[in-house]
Amino acid sequence: MLTPTHRREPDNAQDRVRLRNAVAAAKKQLEEDPAVSRDRRTEVSRELDRALAEIDLTYAEDGLAIFAAPGEHQVWTLSRSVPERVVLSDTFLTRNLVAAQAAERPFWVLSVAADRVKLWSGGADRVVEEHLGGFPLDRPAEDFDPERQERIGDAPSTFRDEGTRRFLRDADAAMGRVLRAHPRPLYVTGPEPALSLFDEAGALAADAVLVPHGGLAHGTAEAVWQAVRPVLEDEARGQVEAVARELDAARGRKDFAAGVDELWESAHTGRVRLLAVEEHFKVTMRDDGEHLLPAADGDLDAREDIVDEIVEQCLETGADVRFVPDGALGDADGIAGVLRY
């Protein structure tokens, strides 16, 4: 079961009602499906009630995924919007979890200045300060003259003394320990002189993305997010373009596949190396034993989102699954792949 939620007032006032309505709709669907036995219906309904009792919408994000089966239930909060859906199937359909994880792509932001280095943890649409690995690091007062700072950043002369070099070298070593324990992409913000010295003094800058922007070591999470957001958006566009190039190259090599029928078969034989799916692509099909044929939602033999099943099968066989904006795949009709052979 999927239902959208909201982080803030006044939109979140509707979430509790929508959630209860979604659970009621799920129970009604269970009752109306003749393939579900009475005992199964009772067990799944009980698990839905238990899941509902556990949910605290105070900490809601952008969506909820609730999985319920006889003897178990799971509740997942998602940092991306989801459609309102109830699906009965013999497996949990996890496409939205996979998409949310791919979009979340956690990263680190290290904001450097001559007197302070602050660590931020980033996700899909925000950063928050992280107290980990000794961060934030503050330079000892006796080793730093604040009068040498400019109001909007650090004076260039500040980054020519050995004390600053030593401080940033220590920050580089501390961040290296964090990365070894929690590997993520790293973005480093700071004024140009600070970034240059950080590069010279340590080893991390070579593999990090440098974002010239001063003042963030003393700034807010929102200011840091606004500084790194354009960089992240450029990278996301580049990743979509890279997927498009790989699909085009596959066409030329004749190892390209498109459409749910072809990819369903290729996924089950483990042939898919890269699967690209448009964000909101959904189709209901039925299996006639040889091919997938279009079906209507609610048909007794329908697979309500065959795309989820293709995604899961590809993940099980080690394929790289990418979600791209709607329309990005052109004439591939929402789903395309590169085959291994």
Side-chain angles (χ1 to χ4, degrees):
M1 189 181 82
L2 298 173
T3 183
T5 54
H6 302 84
R7 298 172 187 264
R8 300 176 182 89
E9 297 178 344
D11 294 331
N12 61 6
Q14 63 184 288
D15 290 349
R16 176 59 62 182
V17 173
R18 293 185 68 168
L19 181 57
R20 290 189 180 278
N21 288 343
V23 170
K27 291 181 177 180
K28 184 173 185 293
Q29 193 166 327
L30 283 167
E31 290 177 4
E32 293 177 347
D33 192 327
V36 180
S37 68
R38 181 177 180 178
D39 288 344
R40 284 290 179 94
R41 182 167 61 247
T42 300
E43 288 185 59
V44 175
S45 295
R46 185 182 301 121
E47 295 297 334
L48 284 171
D49 289 336
R50 288 172 177 167
L52 184 61
E54 291 177 6
I55 296 170
D56 184 353
L57 290 173
T58 304
Y59 305 102
E61 294 187 80
D62 300 308
L64 277 175
I66 301 174
F67 300 141
E72 67 169 312
H73 65 269
Q74 301 176 33
V75 178
W76 297 79
T77 60
L78 306 177
S79 60
R80 58 189 287 118
S81 182
V82 296
E84 199 156 46
R85 292 185 62 207
V86 174
V87 176
L88 298 186
S89 181
D90 54 4
T91 62
F92 293 147
L93 303 184
T94 57
R95 190 233 294 216
N96 293 94
L97 296 185
V98 176
Q101 183 181 41
E104 184 72 17
R105 200 181 73 88
F107 57 88
W108 297 117
V109 180
L110 197 67
S111 296
V112 300
D115 63 332
R116 166 169 272 218
V117 178
K118 189 181 286 188
L119 179 63
W120 311 85
S121 176
D125 60 357
R126 66 195 182 281
V127 300
V128 295
E129 185 177 356
E130 185 74 42
H131 295 272
L132 182 70
F135 290 101
L137 296 180
D138 289 298
R139 186 171 171 181
E142 64 271 14
D143 190 36
F144 181 69
D145 181 0
E147 292 181 0
R148 298 175 67 181
Q149 280 192 303
E150 295 179 343
R151 242 166 36 92
I152 60 172
D154 297 307
S157 59
T158 304
F159 296 98
R160 288 201 291 266
D161 67 62
E162 184 56 33
T164 304
R165 180 182 295 272
R166 187 167 52 250
F167 176 63
L168 293 186
R169 187 184 302 123
D170 290 344
D172 181 277
M175 189 66 221
R177 291 190 288 272
V178 171
L179 286 171
R180 285 192 290 275
H182 308 279
R184 297 183 186 181
L186 174 64
Y187 300 81
V188 183
T189 74
E192 291 277 11
L195 295 180
S196 178
L197 184 56
F198 186 77
D199 188 11
E200 294 174 14
L204 298 181
D207 296 320
V209 177
L210 304 185
V211 183
H213 195 299
L216 298 180
H218 297 274
T220 64
E222 180 61 21
V224 174
W225 171 246
Q226 293 304 328
V228 300
R229 181 178 181 177
V231 178
L232 297 171
E233 289 175 346
D234 284 344
E235 290 182 346
R237 283 191 291 270
Q239 290 166 4
V240 173
E241 292 168 359
V243 169
R245 288 194 297 271
E246 193 157 358
L247 291 171
D248 285 342
R251 290 178 189 268
R253 297 191 305 265
K254 308 299 185 186
D255 52 7
F256 173 83
V260 290
D261 190 29
E262 185 176 1
L263 280 164
W264 170 257
E265 180 181 353
S266 298
H268 277 271
T269 55
R271 295 177 61 204
V272 181
R273 177 173 65 81
L274 167 67
L275 181 71
V277 184
E278 292 183 356
E279 291 277 6
H280 298 102
F281 177 58
K282 174 185 177 296
V283 63
T284 300
M285 308 291 284
R286 61 182 179 84
D287 188 353
D288 73 349
E290 295 184 3
H291 296 283
L292 295 177
L293 302 174
D297 288 341
D299 286 357
L300 294 182
D301 59 349
R303 306 177 99 111
E304 291 198 38
D305 197 346
I306 198 73
V307 178
D308 294 70
E309 300 184 41
I310 293 173
V311 167
E312 290 181 1
Q313 189 63 38
C314 287
L315 289 172
E316 287 183 5
T317 55
D320 183 12
V321 177
R322 305 285 186 90
F323 293 89
V324 300
D326 293 343
L329 298 180
D331 61 359
D333 193 25
I335 187 168
V338 179
L339 303 181
R340 293 188 170 102
Y341 57 90

